[in-house]
Amino acid sequence: MARGGLPSAPVNMVKPPRLRNGDVLGIVAPAGFVADRFGIEEVAATVRAMGLVPRVAPHLTQRHGYLAGTDEVRARDLMSMFADDDVRGILAVRGGWGSARLLPHLDFATIRKKPKLFAGFSDNTALCLALASQGVVSIHGPNASASWPQASWESFHRVAFEGTLPTYSVPVRDGPGLGARGTGVRTFRGGKAQGRLIGGNLTVLSALVGTPFLPSFDRAILFLEDTNEAEYRIDRMLTQLALSGALDKVAGVVFGQCTRCENPDGGYSNFTLYEVLDQRFGSLGKPAFQGLMIGHVANQISVPVGIMAEMDADAGTLRLLEPAVV
């Protein structure tokens, strides 16, 4: 397995083959451990319900502290799925922490030569971003252990199986404080923008700043989400992105959902999450809005990483301009 420096990032993105009914789907644990074999059985049942054949990584039930085995073991499991000609796609079973620890152990040249659809989110953002840095498209979407409600399954199917070009919209909501057209969209700065979709979990993404595994932000549409982070920590991470120059390069920003992102101490002296985002994005001079179902939420949508899209910050929409699969 390659251990040396990364090859220079290619200009053209490589798209993996689309999934088809009856395909073999590799199940890997790049980060946190799986509690027991019953959890694996539930995941396998979910994959079969998708019309796919699950292939569990050899060391999926190993445990090394809070990780699903050592870094070398987890990386070997992931690379074995990319190398297996019978495996059509790869799905991460869960998040947690640990995906970034795999990056120096992966052979990205081999992955680019034999691309397969990798999907996952949360801590798996590290893998999606690293793949994008080397010109390979992936999907930021539900992990294998998710509940997979109908809306999430349909979103994944459209992108991974059908290769269609959906338009994602902020859902309609009832109640006070609504944005444009009776939806929950919060527009920090209006306008439209086109660019390559780059993003995922804010905590994981910001931790990759300064490493060779973060793709270019030049004219990108940056999409973000997070969970269990107080407002000041969201502020700190966005400030880091701003100080690094990343935010100055993007064409626009889409902030999805921030689940349980409130300071546990409460109090009116704190900035709200909306105020933190508005302070950072309102003055950026780029289209920016919040509200898509990206992140740690039910009815989570699947967003390809590395393909072209168009955003409309006034309408609260994100439209794919090219398929994620071939």
Side-chain angles (χ1 to χ4, degrees):
M1 188 178 299
R3 294 290 199 277
L6 291 169
S8 59
V11 175
N12 296 323
M13 299 295 293
V14 175
K15 298 177 182 180
R18 69 187 64 213
L19 297 179
R20 307 160 303 186
N21 287 344
D23 279 343
V24 175
L25 186 70
I27 306 300
V28 296
F33 67 89
V34 181
D36 53 48
R37 66 180 179 86
F38 297 106
I40 300 302
E41 291 173 1
E42 290 178 0
V43 166
T46 297
V47 172
R48 284 191 289 269
M50 296 178 178
L52 303 171
V53 179
R55 178 163 297 178
V56 174
H59 306 97
L60 195 63
T61 57
Q62 281 200 9
R63 180 174 178 180
H64 179 64
Y66 43 72
L67 303 169
T70 65
D71 296 345
E72 291 79 8
V73 164
R74 300 191 329 277
R76 199 156 54 240
D77 273 0
L78 181 56
M79 285 306 306
S80 70
M81 293 298 181
F82 277 108
D84 191 335
D85 290 334
D86 292 333
V87 173
R88 184 84 167 186
I90 304 168
L91 188 58
V93 70
R94 58 159 297 186
W97 157 248
S99 296
R101 295 176 53 151
L102 301 188
L103 302 183
H105 303 285
L106 301 180
D107 185 347
F108 288 96
T110 295
I111 292 173
R112 182 171 165 83
K113 289 177 183 176
K114 299 179 66 174
K116 295 181 181 181
L117 184 66
F118 175 83
F121 88 113
S122 194
D123 190 68
N124 297 294
T125 290
L127 291 170
C128 291
L129 292 173
L131 289 170
S133 76
Q134 295 307 304
V136 180
V137 173
S138 61
I139 290 179
H140 178 278
N143 296 321
S145 59
S147 59
W148 288 91
Q150 187 68 22
S152 292
W153 162 241
E154 290 176 353
S155 176
F156 181 75
H157 194 275
R158 284 194 294 269
V159 174
F161 286 72
E162 302 171 28
T164 58
L165 308 181
T167 296
Y168 308 110
S169 302
V170 174
V172 175
R173 296 174 181 172
D174 296 323
L178 297 178
R181 297 178 179 84
T183 70
V185 61
R186 287 176 165 176
T187 300
F188 306 110
R189 187 179 181 91
K192 296 181 180 181
Q194 292 185 2
R196 199 169 298 283
L197 282 168
I198 297 295
N201 181 265
L202 173 60
T203 298
V204 177
L205 184 149
S206 64
L208 290 180
V209 170
T211 75
F213 302 103
L214 198 62
S216 172
F217 285 84
D218 290 341
R219 299 298 301 163
I221 293 180
L222 176 64
F223 70 92
L224 299 168
E225 62 85 22
D226 221 316
T227 185
N228 291 320
E229 297 289 354
E231 296 91 343
Y232 76 91
R233 293 200 292 266
I234 298 295
D235 189 352
R236 182 178 63 204
M237 290 182 284
L238 291 177
T239 299
Q240 181 184 13
L241 291 182
L243 294 175
S244 75
L247 293 185
D248 290 332
K249 298 177 181 178
V250 302
V253 181
V254 176
F255 201 103
Q257 300 296 316
C258 206
T259 308
R260 296 183 297 277
C261 291
E262 298 86 22
N263 191 325
D265 297 331
Y268 290 102
S269 61
N270 295 325
F271 288 125
T272 66
L273 175 66
Y274 176 77
E275 288 171 328
V276 169
L277 299 181
D278 194 37
Q279 289 169 11
R280 182 57 62 194
F281 300 139
S283 61
L284 190 59
K286 316 286 180 67
F289 74 94
Q290 179 192 11
L292 291 185
M293 300 301 284
I294 302 172
H296 294 68
V297 290
N299 296 328
Q300 177 187 3
I301 60 174
S302 291
V303 181
V305 180
I307 68 165
M308 293 295 294
E310 180 180 72
M311 63 173 290
D312 185 333
D314 296 293
T317 60
L318 179 66
R319 179 171 64 95
L320 302 189
L321 297 178
E322 59 178 323
V325 293
V326 293

